[in-house]
Amino acid sequence: MAYDNILVETNGHVGVITLHRPKALNALNGALIAELGTALDRFEADPHIGCLVLTGSERAFAAGADIREMQPLTFPATYADDFLSSWDRLARCRKPVVAAVAGYALGGGCELAMMCDIILAADNARFGQPEIQLGILPGAGGSQRLTRAIGKAKAMEMCLTGRTLTAEEADRYGLVSRVVPLGELRAEAMKVADTIANLSLPSVVMTKESVNRAFETTLAEGIRFERRLFQALFATADQKEGMAAFVEKRSASFNNT
Ligand SMILES: CCCCCCC/C=C/C(=O)SCCNC(=O)CCNC(=O)[C@H](O)C(C)(C)COP(=O)(O)OP(=O)(O)OC[C@H]1O[C@@H](n2cnc3c(N)ncnc32)[C@H](O)[C@@H]1OP(=O)(O)O
């Protein structure tokens, strides 16, 4: 499959997607989002892939949704087409996704990063929701995921003023898991993804689902849900292998069953 707006490659059990619209700082247009959806479908269906990395360029992860594409839109058209309703494909990916963010992650770019499970930031990364400066608001979950990630006070300031965060601030506020030197970003992201990809896929997918459930339910329901998944994993061969490997003092070799 040929892609025009993204680069797709496989490295061991890791699928790597690189946003690639360099002239527009990886601004997200309909074509790019469609290609991203196709790549995600393929990696998700590939039993050899256990984790994904999503990245951009050194200058921009993504500078937002494509303003030129959005400029002529009208309310009746956006409403009738339910504009953006399919742009959250990434958030529905069942396999873990590591975002490797360098440069600008603004608007839809910040929202795209927040749809991932782990965000590694290069020291030059900048996160922001500047939509207010365009007379709109974050439309792909930014006001919701950002608020859950860093709290109301900081999310309000970002969304209401368009202020951007440095990588160091994003780290301190809990938006990213850590900051690494720009030159080490890709290698670090690959290391994290490779670690995950070599674990047992059923336990990885269930762990992701269980952590995400914390955002959607009560504590009691979440704990019950986690316990059921925990019990279910005792039906897998990988649980037997993982625990046998520990007892026998050797590395586990999982086969995702
Ligand atoms: C799946 C999730 C997506 C869902 C999206 C939901 C709704 C989201 C809405 C938005 O994201 S609105 C857009 C929010 N982003 C912005 O407002 C940032 C806009 N860009 C800038 O402010 C600046 O470009 C910059 C990032 C601060 C960089 O400035 P710099 O001076 O270094 O470069 P430029 O010359 O401005 O940019 C180079 C080139 O890139 C084009 N470009 C940049 N951002 C966008 C964009 N968001 N849309 C379209 N094009 C963009 C810019 O126009 C330049 O192109 P040329 O003019 O040289 O052709």
Side-chain angles (χ1 to χ4, degrees):
M1 162 101 194
Y3 297 99
D4 296 322
N5 301 284
I6 59 174
L7 307 173
V8 177
E9 61 198 292
T10 299
N11 191 328
H13 297 295
V14 177
V16 183
I17 302 173
T18 305
L19 305 174
H20 189 62
R21 285 191 75 205
K23 288 183 183 154
L25 300 183
N26 294 333
L28 308 166
N29 62 9
L32 183 153
I33 292 296
E35 291 181 9
L36 178 60
T38 301
L40 289 170
D41 287 346
R42 288 171 176 227
F43 280 141
E44 217 165 26
D46 185 341
H48 301 294
I49 296 297
C51 189
L52 310 184
V53 169
L54 179 65
T55 193
S57 68
E58 291 195 350
R59 193 172 165 209
F61 178 75
D66 191 313
I67 298 169
R68 287 188 176 79
E69 192 175 73
M70 287 189 295
Q71 186 184 10
L73 296 182
T74 62
F75 168 65
T78 56
Y79 190 76
D81 296 346
D82 204 7
F83 177 52
L84 298 182
S85 62
S86 63
W87 285 39
D88 70 343
R89 170 67 185 84
L90 180 60
R92 289 181 280 105
C93 184
R94 299 185 73 212
K95 292 177 180 173
V97 185
V98 178
V101 177
Y104 296 110
L106 302 179
C110 187
E111 293 174 306
L112 201 62
M114 289 190 291
M115 289 180 200
C116 298
D117 304 299
I118 296 171
I119 304 178
L120 293 189
D123 46 19
N124 76 336
R126 295 288 178 275
F127 297 86
Q129 298 291 163
E131 290 90 338
I132 196 89
Q133 294 164 352
L134 298 168
I136 55 172
L137 60 77
S143 64
Q144 306 304 300
R145 290 194 179 94
L146 188 66
T147 306
R148 283 166 169 77
I150 68 174
K152 175 182 165 181
K154 295 189 185 324
M156 274 293 189
E157 187 188 359
M158 286 178 70
C159 292
L160 286 176
T161 69
R163 182 172 99 80
T164 57
L165 300 183
T166 62
E168 187 275 320
E169 285 175 309
D171 189 19
R172 194 153 29 92
Y173 297 172
L175 180 59
V176 306
S177 76
R178 62 195 156 91
V179 180
V180 299
L182 175 59
E184 295 168 22
L185 178 67
R186 189 182 163 102
E188 279 299 317
M190 289 306 299
K191 205 191 304 181
V192 171
D194 196 56
T195 298
I196 296 169
N198 284 292
L199 296 170
S200 166
L201 190 58
S203 70
V204 163
V205 171
M206 286 191 202
T207 299
K208 170 170 174 165
E209 197 175 352
S210 191
V211 173
N212 279 334
R213 191 58 69 102
F215 291 102
E216 293 161 7
T217 192
T218 63
L219 180 61
E221 274 307 317
I223 286 172
R224 195 178 357 257
F225 181 75
E226 178 193 73
R227 192 165 61 239
R228 293 290 173 250
L229 294 182
F230 180 83
Q231 292 161 350
L233 285 171
F234 283 80
T236 65
D238 283 347
Q239 173 269 327
K240 305 289 176 260
E241 166 61 11
M243 295 194 179
F246 176 82
V247 171
E248 293 161 16
K249 300 188 186 302
R250 60 174 173 83
S251 299
S253 176
F254 297 117
N255 67 8
N256 299 335
T257 61

